[in-house]
Amino acid sequence: MPSKSSARLAALTVAAVCTTVSGVVITTPAHADTVRIHDIQGTTRTSPLAGQKVSDVAGIVTGVRTYGSSRGFWMQDPTPDDNPATSEGVFVFTSSTPKVAVGDSVTVTGTVSEYVPGGTTSGNQSVTEITKPTVTVLSSGNAVPAPVVIDAASVPAAYAPAGDTAANGSINGLTLEPAKYALDYYESLEGMNVQVADARVVTATDPYSELWVTLKPHEHANRRGGTVYGSYASQNTGRLQIQSLGPAGDFPAANVGDTLTGTTTGPLDYTQFGGYTLVASKLGTLESGGLQRETTRKQARGELAVATYNVQNLDPSDTTFAAHASAIVNNLQSPDIVSLEEIQDNNGATDDGTVDASQTVNKLIDAIVAAGGPKYDWRSINPVNDQDGGQPGGNIRQVFLFNPERVSFTDRPGGDSTTAVGVTKVHGKAQLTVSPGRVDPASDAWKSSRKPLAGEFVFHGRTVFVIANHLNSKGGDQSLHAQYQPPTRSSEIQRHLQATEVHAFVKDILDTQKNAEVVALGDMNDFQFSDTTKILEGDGELWSAIKSLPKSERYTYDYQGNSQVLDQILVSPSIRRGCGLDYDSVHINSEFHDQISDHDPQVLRFRP
């Protein structure tokens, strides 16, 4: 049976609009049946009236956006239809500051449009809007339609329907099933006044005055208040982004585990970075959860402590050296070996051909000494200018820090930006041909991406091979909330090639010396359950040690409400089967609004 809104649309279609020679509209009885907001929204993600002009669409203004490039207002029909799939709210794009106020009763004449935040190539869903509007204010001070309460009971457990194969996997043309799928439920409320209550923060406030809450307090929750992302098949449907219609300076500085107590109310929008977003006209009160930065334990005399830490585009002009140093000395307890990722050259993003990073590294080492830590030594290889991706001119690379009082580095000359490190056998043992060296830097797998840095270390007379990585980022992947379901992860193509290269190099070492102790670590830019990790692990040549932690503790990064793994330390069988393997994801950054990096460092302790 056709829905109420579809029947109305059919009536409007049948009712032809006739004009006289002079162009005056002759109104028939059918033409008098005006278009309502739910007619515009329809029962799919895109409007059945897209591209058409609509006249005298009525609604009550529920929110006004006076900033940014998307200025306009939301309005809502106070008399809804009986179809849960049709939203009663819509955004009116004015481009300039709107001349309406919340509570105004208005009619709008304009063109129905579908706006895709981020552009059509992003794969994002679209926002149904009325553009080029003529707005008439009928009255002011009217009651705003009561907000729809979004909570654990209303949000479905399933995330999204499978996309239409005939439409390249898009869900745009599918009829919404808001009682079955979370993305359909949120879409059915697009533009409407909604409300959440006592919502726990699961991603800290970012520099753009945004945070994420969960509407499902028990959904994959961990002890620190976050929501853990554990598989592609198990999405966290309770995640919702919160922005504010008020001044950015009034937005709360929240950490994971804090709570927006009371009610947070406002229109439900869809944004490029985050998807469905409650744009709050009224924010709840921030209540601190008391989250503290973690500190790992000190390694014992016979334990080797190896760490990975992405220091987020560190260059000499940064003001975070003392904070990073304190983190390494106090929170990480001065590991014996630290793989640093995203060390920039001596003048940062100035793109003038500089590739040396000695000033950056030595400034960090001096800060570590000032913080009471050891005088680390270091090894790295300068990249070819502008060939390793990252911020243009920054020339990010991996750097080994090591404590010479605890561990020694085996130097073999010849390693440079274009020379591949190899493996040879000497006296029955594996040995690198150059140390430090880069893994197959000429391979297309590393085009515009960081090349792995390999080196030999000696601890208590035992050789340990360490490979520092920073694999291809997830940039360019379709978002979890994309119109294509499941979303395409295009960045995996290169990352899988890179993982294959790293695995092949590790296998060369192990084929040369079966019991060699190998650590491959760094910002792998992929999850512990991903195909990237499976390729790295191979047939048991490596194993991601973060999997030794309980599932609720497996995260190194927090993105759009998901606590997830990007940084990993993988070990060879001799380390995995050895004595005292101890792994710690040290949460000092990802959950905090005042983070000095967006990654949490990882520490592995073992007895070679």
Side-chain angles (χ1 to χ4, degrees), residues 255-426:
N255 296 326
V256 169
D258 293 350
T259 301
L260 285 180
T261 61
T263 57
T264 296
T265 306
L268 188 66
D269 197 12
Y270 180 93
T271 65
Q272 177 180 357
F273 302 107
Y276 294 103
T277 300
L278 195 165
V279 186
S281 55
K282 175 192 174 186
L283 273 165
T285 302
L286 185 68
E287 181 179 285
S288 173
L291 193 69
Q292 299 295 313
R293 288 175 164 86
E294 290 187 332
T295 297
T296 196
R297 69 171 176 83
K298 185 75 175 176
Q299 64 269 28
R301 185 175 182 277
E303 287 182 311
L304 178 66
V306 183
T308 176
Y309 188 17
N310 184 320
V311 290
Q312 198 173 13
N313 289 321
L314 189 68
D315 76 74
S317 68
D318 286 337
T319 60
T320 56
F321 281 89
H324 282 304
S326 177
I328 290 170
V329 173
N330 299 310
N331 300 91
L332 305 188
Q333 297 291 301
S334 302
D336 302 310
I337 302 169
V338 183
S339 167
L340 298 171
E341 297 88 48
E342 294 198 20
I343 290 288
Q344 290 197 344
D345 63 34
N346 290 337
N347 60 10
T350 302
D351 197 359
D352 63 355
T354 299
V355 293
D356 184 66
S358 57
Q359 293 177 28
T360 309
V361 179
N362 285 320
K363 187 172 182 178
L364 179 59
I365 290 172
D366 290 344
I368 290 171
V369 172
K375 178 73 173 181
Y376 280 104
D377 202 348
W378 66 285
R379 297 291 186 276
S380 188
I381 294 176
N382 292 332
V384 177
N385 186 48
D386 287 341
Q387 295 301 304
D388 281 19
Q391 195 173 18
N395 290 308
I396 56 175
R397 83 289 308 274
Q398 297 88 266
V399 170
F400 289 131
L401 296 185
F402 63 95
N403 181 357
E405 298 297 318
R406 294 264 302 169
V407 66
S408 63
F409 189 87
T410 302
D411 288 293
R412 291 196 190 89
D416 58 28
S417 59
T418 59
T419 299
V421 60
V423 182
T424 186
K425 182 179 283 189
V426 178

Side-chain angles (χ1 to χ4, degrees), residues 98-309:
K99 297 178 180 178
V100 297
V102 172
D104 283 353
S105 174
V106 299
T107 59
V108 176
T109 296
T111 302
V112 177
S113 301
E114 291 292 338
Y115 168 68
V116 181
T120 55
T121 58
S122 69
N124 284 335
Q125 297 183 52
S126 61
V127 180
T128 302
E129 298 180 343
I130 301 176
T131 61
K132 301 177 182 177
T134 300
V135 181
T136 301
V137 178
L138 304 178
S139 63
S140 299
N142 298 281
V144 172
V148 176
V149 175
I150 306 177
D151 58 17
S154 66
V155 180
Y159 188 65
D164 182 359
T165 55
N168 297 318
S170 174
I171 58 176
N172 275 353
L174 303 180
T175 299
L176 298 176
E177 298 182 78
K180 187 174 182 179
Y181 299 110
L183 285 189
D184 286 11
Y185 173 70
Y186 292 129
E187 175 63 23
S188 74
L189 301 175
E190 180 192 84
M192 292 181 65
N193 196 30
V194 299
Q195 180 177 287
V196 300
D198 297 330
R200 191 180 75 242
V201 176
V202 291
T203 294
T205 302
D206 65 18
Y208 307 100
S209 295
E210 301 165 335
L211 58 80
W212 287 72
V213 299
T214 181
L215 312 176
K216 296 184 174 184
H218 303 294
E219 185 178 48
H220 301 136
N222 64 29
R223 60 185 176 83
R224 292 175 63 82
T227 299
V228 177
Y229 184 47
S231 75
Y232 296 125
S234 182
Q235 298 293 341
N236 292 312
T237 63
R239 300 173 300 116
L240 187 67
Q241 185 170 244
I242 306 290
Q243 295 176 347
S244 176
L245 278 172
D250 294 337
F251 199 79
N255 296 326
V256 169
D258 293 350
T259 301
L260 285 180
T261 61
T263 57
T264 296
T265 306
L268 188 66
D269 197 12
Y270 180 93
T271 65
Q272 177 180 357
F273 302 107
Y276 294 103
T277 300
L278 195 165
V279 186
S281 55
K282 175 192 174 186
L283 273 165
T285 302
L286 185 68
E287 181 179 285
S288 173
L291 193 69
Q292 299 295 313
R293 288 175 164 86
E294 290 187 332
T295 297
T296 196
R297 69 171 176 83
K298 185 75 175 176
Q299 64 269 28
R301 185 175 182 277
E303 287 182 311
L304 178 66
V306 183
T308 176
Y309 188 17

